[in-house]
Amino acid sequence: MVTCQAQDWNGLSPNPARMADIPDRIVLRRHLELRSWAFFRPIRYALLGLIGTFLVLGLFNVYGQNPQTITATSAKADLELYAPDRVRGGLLYEARFTITAHQKLNHVVLRLQSGWAESQQMNTIEPSPIAQTSRNGDLLFTLGAIAKGQKYTLYIEFQVNPTNVGRRSADVALYEGSERILTIERMLKVFP
Amino acid sequence: MDIVFRAVFIFFVLYLLMRIIGRRELSSLEPFDLILLVVLGDAVQQGLTQDDYSLTGALLAIGTIAMLQLGVSYANFRFPRLRPLLDGEPIVVVRDGKPIERNLRRERVTLDDLTSAMRQQNIAHIGEVQWAVMETSGAISFIKKSGSS
């Protein structure tokens, strides 16, 4: 019969005296009574709580994808932007720009700050603008004329490059010719 | 380069998850668990390589994971004090023919699970068991009483 008195290898506490037939390396105080920091449950609960919190935050759109509506108003026109301001790498999403003219606009230009194009694929722009150009790194879309009381909606489909992580300024400005009518200031946050 | 960082991050997140979900889930591989394993692998792959379809990317990802696994197993071998953290500890679930309810409950092992594991070891009655130990892998090992056939 083998007794297990000498199980103090590598810091394991020995078993009580006269304890026979205990498997090697099993220490009752530790593996039966579970008196060890390794069995300290609050650590496990804290980690589970951390994971749960992460998931709940995801449900509340903290990590993006859900679109937000931002509206800017002026005497000449309104601009409504419907797009997510928090996205993740690889995500496909749509940005919708709706312009409502309160008076006839002859030469409408939509200006998107460079953050819109930075490491993002622009898959589709519908309807196609009359002209597209760049000014100081920003994108300019010439949309043409909009009659009084009419709405013009521009759809742009994006895909976020996976390496595009961080915050970028993605303002939108509406021009009538060279006159700036209104601006929507926003930040685009890209999660990994 | 970021594929290496992603692989490191995912490795440690998976390691942590496997440690905290408990060994019971690791030991039983029911058909549904097998499906979950495939789904988990697919979800991890998306985050790991993302849109990188290159051979280089795949080599970087699997190379990083292999090196980390080697590092963890070396740390486990070299530093005994880390073993409870990295591998966990065995838990005694039966002593002298009597199930230890508290330890079974802790690992969410029912008496049915226990007797099923016993039957797989050709043990019909719990009274024949001197010690049953739930190993860090989730498997239960049984030591019969002296004289039990």
Side-chain angles (χ1 to χ4, degrees):
Chain A
M1 182 159 305
V2 179
T3 57
C4 292
Q5 295 300 305
Q7 291 201 6
D8 53 352
W9 319 316
N10 298 320
L12 292 178
S13 309
N15 285 311
R18 287 184 292 170
M19 191 58 73
D21 285 340
I22 301 172
D24 283 355
R25 309 284 288 173
I26 292 293
V27 177
L28 295 186
R29 185 177 162 78
R30 191 162 175 167
H31 300 125
L32 177 65
E33 297 168 19
L34 309 185
R35 291 188 190 167
S36 160
W37 63 267
F39 299 112
F40 189 55
R41 303 206 89 169
I43 296 176
R44 185 175 174 179
Y45 291 149
L47 290 170
L48 282 171
L50 208 64
I51 294 169
T53 307
F54 178 74
L55 301 181
V56 170
L57 290 177
L59 282 175
F60 284 97
N61 193 38
V62 169
Y63 317 117
Q65 190 164 354
N66 272 8
Q68 321 288 325
T69 303
I70 308 173
T71 309
T73 309
S74 76
K76 290 186 176 176
D78 292 349
L79 173 62
E80 183 185 281
L81 169 62
Y82 181 74
D85 57 1
R86 279 170 283 187
V87 292
R88 301 183 297 274
L91 188 76
L92 291 156
Y93 72 95
E94 177 185 278
R96 191 191 310 152
F97 306 83
T98 306
I99 302 158
T100 307
H102 298 314
Q103 61 184 62
K104 186 174 190 309
L105 302 172
N106 294 313
H107 188 73
V108 177
V109 177
L110 195 68
R111 180 173 182 163
L112 304 186
Q113 205 174 9
S114 58
W116 283 97
E118 186 71 39
S119 292
Q120 288 203 102
Q121 312 286 328
M122 224 176 269
N123 294 334
T124 310
I125 305 175
E126 289 295 340
S128 293
I130 295 168
Q132 296 177 52
T133 185
S134 171
R135 187 185 298 162
N136 295 327
D138 293 351
L139 302 173
L140 269 69
F141 299 115
T142 304
L143 307 179
I146 305 174
K148 182 184 176 183
Q150 292 291 302
K151 277 189 178 178
Y152 182 103
T153 305
L154 181 75
Y155 299 90
I156 306 182
E157 309 293 332
F158 290 95
Q159 185 168 20
V160 187
N161 286 0
T163 50
N164 177 20
V165 177
R167 284 164 62 90
R168 281 170 180 76
S169 187
D171 296 350
V172 184
L174 187 69
Y175 287 77
E176 160 68 328
S178 57
E179 179 198 354
R180 180 186 292 218
I181 302 174
L182 43 83
T183 304
I184 292 175
E185 291 181 356
R186 67 195 286 274
M187 294 295 291
L188 182 68
K189 191 183 279 185
V190 183
F191 288 92
Chain B
M1 187 177 68
D2 60 324
I3 200 165
V4 175
F5 289 131
R6 284 199 297 266
V8 171
F9 183 77
I10 284 174
F11 178 86
F12 285 111
V13 167
L14 281 180
Y15 205 98
L16 186 72
L17 269 180
M18 292 299 112
R19 288 288 292 114
I20 61 177
I21 61 170
R23 58 195 92 190
R24 185 188 189 282
E25 273 65 28
L26 298 179
S27 65
S28 61
L29 206 60
E30 304 289 335
F32 185 65
D33 298 321
L34 197 65
I35 293 165
L36 275 186
L37 209 62
V38 174
V39 171
L40 185 71
D42 194 45
V44 166
Q45 183 273 325
Q46 302 281 347
L48 185 58
T49 56
Q50 295 186 336
D51 286 336
D52 186 338
Y53 302 115
S54 68
L55 184 63
T56 313
L59 288 176
L60 281 171
I62 59 175
T64 306
I65 288 170
M67 292 307 288
L68 287 170
Q69 179 59 20
L70 195 66
V72 167
S73 63
Y74 180 74
N76 201 21
F77 168 75
R78 182 73 182 76
F79 306 106
R81 285 181 184 282
L82 284 180
R83 277 176 214 158
L85 181 73
L86 297 175
D87 262 5
E89 298 249 46
I91 294 178
V92 176
V93 289
V94 176
R95 179 189 190 184
D96 198 20
K98 293 186 180 63
I100 315 291
E101 292 285 347
R102 188 176 69 117
N103 294 0
L104 288 170
R105 194 166 52 243
R106 185 194 157 88
E107 293 301 324
R108 301 183 299 282
V109 176
T110 63
L111 273 179
D112 289 339
D113 295 332
L114 185 67
T115 49
S116 164
M118 281 166 39
R119 288 192 296 274
Q120 289 172 44
Q121 300 292 321
N122 298 320
I123 301 169
H125 307 290
I126 200 162
E128 299 170 33
V129 177
Q130 179 66 45
W131 297 99
V133 179
M134 191 168 199
E135 306 293 350
T136 54
S137 64
I140 301 175
S141 41
F142 297 93
I143 296 164
K144 289 185 183 180
K145 287 179 177 173
S146 310
S148 295
S149 55

